[in-house]
Amino acid sequence: MQITVHDRGTSRMSASEFRSFQARRPDHERWELVGGVAMMMTPPTIAHNQIASNLERLLNDALARHAPAWLAAQRPGLDLGTGDFRPEPDVGVIDADYDPGQRFVDKAYLLAEVISDTDEVILPGTDRRWIEVKRELYRAHPHCLAVLVIAQDRMEVALDLKVDGRWMSNLLQSGETKLSLRDFGLTCRVADLYDRTPVQRTPPA
């Protein structure tokens, strides 16, 4: 696994410095601020992109009926309150009323990650994976009601839902298990997230 880190000596990068740095990078590059260090994410696999697209489509179909003031978008730029971290979720539910040219939001209601190689990086000075830290950051976001962490090599979804102000967690590991996101009007099978991916089980002819 190859990880690219922006080289700026031993100094750490603030959130505002990171956003300025991002603005100068090509649009196809994907960077996150990880503990004050700008890290370029590993290019996603086709399966990763397909899972994210499936989730985005399922959410938008449900939101159109249940909560049209919200919109599901891939890779929304998210400004969290924590200065040393600027993760970029694979899918987020944000306000549908946004400005032309807007890149970043400070409010998201659902945040989802499809686990990639870069998410497995151990943060320096800790024993924690980047995906674990991102999950914690998303749960700490005051507007967030749901967090999904989705495996791409097997049907598995770690689901966090905020219920009456408290987080409830479940691990969904069967394709036929129901994924229910009531605040977003979505009920589907876990297998629906994996439509047209290699882990989808093809029924007998």
Side-chain angles (χ1 to χ4, degrees):
M1 177 175 59
Q2 183 176 1
I3 304 300
T4 301
V5 177
H6 178 54
D7 182 12
R8 62 192 310 269
T10 58
S11 61
R12 295 164 67 88
M13 189 178 287
S14 69
S16 60
E17 288 172 333
F18 173 66
R19 289 304 189 209
S20 296
F21 163 75
Q22 264 188 315
R24 299 190 299 270
R25 303 305 304 171
D27 284 345
H28 69 271
E29 292 185 359
R30 183 176 180 183
W31 292 81
E32 293 182 316
L33 186 65
V34 183
V37 176
M39 182 180 297
M40 188 164 69
M41 301 297 99
T42 303
T45 63
I46 297 172
H48 178 286
N49 288 342
Q50 182 63 33
I51 294 166
S53 294
N54 289 338
L55 177 59
E56 180 190 31
R57 173 180 51 81
L58 289 164
L59 281 168
N60 275 326
D61 287 348
L63 291 171
R65 300 185 301 268
H66 181 79
W70 291 350
L71 169 75
Q74 290 194 46
R75 297 179 53 187
L78 181 62
D79 279 329
L80 297 171
T82 306
D84 280 348
F85 298 95
R86 284 296 183 272
E88 185 178 84
D90 290 311
V91 178
V93 172
I94 61 175
D95 289 315
D97 183 14
Y98 58 89
D99 297 326
Q102 182 175 342
R103 291 180 180 271
F104 305 109
V105 298
D106 59 7
K107 187 184 296 184
Y109 309 98
L110 176 148
L111 294 164
E113 292 283 348
V114 182
I115 300 176
S116 63
D117 288 346
T118 314
D119 289 318
E120 301 290 351
V121 170
I122 302 297
L123 267 62
T126 77
D127 59 355
R128 305 180 66 198
R129 297 179 299 151
W130 177 217
I131 189 63
E132 295 169 342
V133 175
K134 282 199 279 192
R135 186 177 179 182
E136 182 178 288
L137 290 169
Y138 296 161
R139 285 167 53 119
H141 181 55
H143 303 284
C144 188
L145 302 172
V147 177
L148 287 78
V149 176
I150 306 168
Q152 63 171 301
D153 59 348
R154 62 191 181 280
M155 292 191 186
E156 181 177 289
V157 179
L159 173 64
D160 298 318
L161 291 176
K162 187 181 285 186
V163 180
D164 296 328
R166 299 180 60 185
W167 286 101
M168 309 293 290
S169 300
N170 284 291
L171 187 63
L172 313 179
Q173 295 179 292
S174 167
E176 296 304 314
T177 301
K178 292 294 184 182
L179 171 62
S180 181
L181 302 171
R182 294 183 180 179
D183 288 319
F184 307 90
L186 175 61
T187 300
C188 66
R189 301 175 308 150
V190 167
D192 294 332
L193 301 179
Y194 294 88
D195 186 37
R196 305 188 73 179
T197 70
V199 299
Q200 183 188 47
R201 292 179 179 175
T202 305

